[in-house]
Structures are given as C-alpha cells and as structure tokens.
Amino acid sequence: MTSRNREECAVSSHNWIEDLPVAAPPADRWQISLRELSILIEEGEHGPWHPRLLLVVEGGTGAVLGHRLLEPDADPDLVLDLLYTTLSEPATGAPRRPAHIQTDTDSLVPPLSELTAQMGMKLERLPDLPELSFAIHSFEEFMTPHPELYLASEQSDPAVIADFFNAAAAYYRAAPWKRLTDAEPLTLQVDGWDEPRYVVLMGHGGIVRGLVLYDDWEDLEDLYTDEEINPLELSCTGFFFTDKKDLAEEARLEIAENGWNVVSYKAYPVATRTDATGPPRVPTMEQIRELTLALYIVINYVAGLPRGRTARRAWGRFTLETPNGDVEGVIGFGIFFEDDTLDEEDETDE
C-alpha cells in the first residue's frame, strides 16, 4: 500500500471512525506489535520458516482485540487493515476507538503515523509493551506441538484422563474466559495442596482458549514483564483447545477408542506440562488431577462473580462439590498472596 493509498483510505474511513465512542481509560490505550514467533513451520517454498504475529491488545486489561498470522515477507501496512477491522469488530466488547496507540515495532510506525494524524489519535513508539508481550508469550507457550499420547506411560490411568476430559468439556460450555482476561490472574489454594497455584484463563481475545496453572507467582510476573524470558522453561501445567484436524492421527484414535468426552470438533483438549527440565510433555497423573480440580473450581468461581470491576477484588474461602468429592480452599484475584495472608483470611472466615 503506497503513502497516497494509505492517506485516501484514512480519509475515506474518517467519518465512521469518528462516530465510534472513545474507550474509557486505561482501555483507551491500544498496543500494536508485529513479532516473529518461535513456532517453526516445517514446510515452505524456501524451507522451514517462522510466522509473524500482528497483534492488537487493549491497555489496562491485556485483552486481545485483533490478530493476524503473517508470512515473513508480508507487508507491515497490513496493520491498517487489521486496525480498521478491530475498530469495527473487536474480539471483545463493542466497536470503539482508542485515544492512544502504542507500538514497539519500527516498521509499523510509518503507516500508523499517517492514520493517527488523520484520526486525531496519539502515537507512541515505546521499547517495551508488557501486556502485549504477555499475550504473545501465552500464545507461543500453548501452540507448541504436543509430543505424546495420554496413555503412553505405564503410570497412565484412563480414568484420570476421562475426568480431565469431562472437566474440560464443562469448562468449554461455561466459557469463563468471557468474564476474565489472561491479564487477570487468580490465586488458588486448595486444602491439601502444599503450595498455591496461579491461574491464567486464556480465550478472552479469541486466539487460544484454555487455562494454565503456574507453580510460582514469580514465574508469572516474569512472563508478564520480561520480553526475553522463554515461556517453555516456566513451571506450569495447562491445557488448550485445538481443532480435531490439528491433532495427530494417533491422538484422535486414542480419544475415540477410550470414549473421552469432547464437546466439539473445535474443542479437543490438549494438556501439557512445561518446565526447565525438557520440552513440553504430557503432565503426570497427579498434575492432571490438579488441573482437573482447578477447572471445576474456576468454573464455579467465575460463575458466581458479581458484575463490574469491583469483582476483581473479591476473594475468600470456597466449598465445592465435584464429581470426585467435596473440596475446600481459597481463591481470588491477584498473584501476590502470601501464605500468612491466606491463613489469616481462613481464620477470619472461621
């Protein structure tokens, strides 16, 4: 797209964009980036290649508003097409426009400069966009190909996997990601667990739907703030939904032969474990039990949240009946709960 074409496009679009309401702060700040992913596409005209992700994220919430996967030689001017689409049809919420656009990508500055000048928006070139980096890290972490079958190990228990599939099906039907973004982590401490887990719900932006349990709040903080961190080295157990056609034939057969519960051909749950000891792998049975329990707890917790931002400060004890028995614990927003804070809250409730 030439400079003249960009200007004509901006002028012709000016009226309908002006009619859009400006998002309230801090959601009036949109972050846009174009980054090469670590995911490797094995087949290509010139051999293996890495796709690039063009991403629009809402400031304040971290919600993904729009995205496109691009080939390495794709024109950066495509950011204008994505931005127009996002303004009129954002992945979450009603059509709206930002007052500020931020980018960390030099190649996006020229097309964005002309657009923001026409639209009266402020453009900022910043070296670091933590909310956007977090969204990209989360996307990469759970798009890594899954290397194993659930029952590949002698310690595998089909009944444990069946419970997980049932919980994943309930999670998909409940769609708790419609209420929470991946920038709103939860702390979960179940009675009987040695340590709390830090929960991130994926799916609000429409890229990847699932849930992650981080072992350490410092890992989650690093993932959110450090662009250089490798998400595949962080200790966490999680899962994401994928399309049936994207599963290996052996995996599809394993699921069919065991009769595990799948809601939709677009919602096959893939559980994975990452840490610094090796590549992503199938979690242990105990880790899958923990993940399954967390799914039921999160479904119940999110369903009971009151509407409005004040809900983000709510946390306390819970008792929940699950298919495997009653569980109790503490759950709430934030990643900085210390053990003594949890204990103090327990005593207060009692």
Side-chain angles (χ1 to χ4, degrees):
M1 183 183 292
T2 66
S3 174
R4 179 185 176 115
N5 289 337
R6 286 199 300 265
E7 185 175 347
E8 289 175 350
C9 184
V11 170
S12 65
S13 305
H14 187 67
N15 290 336
W16 73 265
I17 291 179
E18 276 196 331
D19 291 339
L20 294 176
V22 178
D28 64 340
R29 172 175 48 85
W30 287 10
Q31 301 177 352
I32 304 178
S33 184
L34 177 62
R35 299 192 193 176
E36 183 179 272
L37 300 176
S38 62
I39 300 167
L40 184 65
I41 307 298
E42 295 293 343
E43 297 181 1
E45 183 179 351
H46 304 291
W49 57 284
H50 294 275
R52 294 189 297 168
L53 180 63
L54 185 59
L55 194 65
V56 181
V57 171
E58 184 178 64
T61 67
V64 175
L65 300 179
H67 73 281
R68 284 187 186 175
L69 281 175
L70 304 178
E71 295 183 355
D73 57 353
D75 193 332
D77 281 0
L78 288 172
V79 67
L80 296 181
D81 294 330
L82 175 61
L83 190 54
Y84 286 134
T85 300
T86 304
L87 289 166
S88 59
E89 298 180 7
T92 178
R96 58 196 182 278
R97 59 190 170 101
H100 308 270
I101 291 181
Q102 301 172 325
T103 185
D104 61 357
T105 308
D106 289 334
S107 62
L108 299 185
V109 171
L112 289 175
S113 294
E114 296 182 31
L115 174 66
T116 53
Q118 291 285 338
M119 298 298 107
M121 302 174 185
K122 180 181 178 181
L123 176 65
E124 298 177 281
R125 167 65 171 90
L126 299 177
D128 182 39
L129 299 175
E131 291 163 319
L132 194 142
S133 296
F134 179 81
I136 291 177
H137 283 321
S138 299
F139 174 79
E140 286 194 308
E141 182 175 350
F142 287 92
M143 286 304 291
T144 303
H146 199 261
E148 303 174 49
L149 299 177
Y150 286 108
L151 302 182
S153 169
E154 292 183 0
Q155 287 74 41
S156 299
D157 185 340
V160 172
I161 307 303
D163 287 343
F164 162 65
F165 270 72
N166 288 335
Y171 184 85
Y172 188 83
R173 292 190 185 97
W177 58 80
K178 293 182 178 180
R179 295 288 306 278
L180 300 184
T181 74
D182 56 8
E184 298 173 293
L186 304 172
T187 292
L188 172 60
Q189 173 68 68
V190 174
D191 292 355
W193 287 6
D194 293 335
E195 300 287 344
R197 295 288 181 257
Y198 303 92
V199 186
V200 173
L201 281 67
M202 300 184 297
H204 197 77
I207 299 182
V208 180
R209 292 171 176 171
L211 179 144
V212 193
L213 294 179
Y214 288 91
D215 294 359
D216 192 324
W217 69 263
E218 291 179 327
D219 278 355
L220 185 54
E221 183 181 38
D222 288 343
L223 181 63
Y224 188 82
T225 59
D226 186 355
E227 291 188 20
E228 302 301 321
I229 196 166
N230 182 358
L232 299 181
E233 293 183 355
L234 301 182
S235 297
C236 63
T237 304
F239 88 102
F240 62 94
F241 292 108
T242 191
D243 196 294
K244 181 179 181 179
K245 65 179 176 58
D246 294 327
L247 286 177
E249 182 179 358
E250 295 84 351
R252 293 197 297 267
L253 287 174
E254 181 185 50
I255 294 170
E257 290 173 355
N258 286 277
W260 293 331
N261 188 8
V262 177
V263 174
S264 163
Y265 72 92
K266 294 183 178 181
Y268 277 70
V270 178
T272 185
R273 172 71 185 180
T274 66
D275 52 41
T277 63
R281 57 195 180 277
V282 172
T284 66
M285 293 300 99
E286 186 56 38
Q287 289 164 347
I288 288 181
R289 289 189 185 95
E290 190 175 273
L291 177 61
T292 300
L293 184 57
L295 290 177
Y296 284 122
I297 294 170
V298 167
I299 291 169
N300 180 74
Y301 177 73
V302 174
L305 286 176
R307 297 288 176 177
R309 301 302 299 178
T310 56
R312 274 53 177 171
R313 297 194 294 271
W315 67 285
R317 286 200 62 84
F318 67 87
T319 299
L320 178 65
E321 181 180 348
T322 75
N324 295 313
D326 293 350
V327 294
E328 296 185 1
V330 177
I331 188 172
F333 283 91
I335 62 173
F336 301 107
F337 295 164
E338 300 292 343
D339 289 342
D340 56 351
T341 304
L342 293 172
D343 294 341
E344 181 180 325
E345 180 70 14
D346 290 351
E347 293 173 2
T348 301
D349 288 347
E350 290 174 2

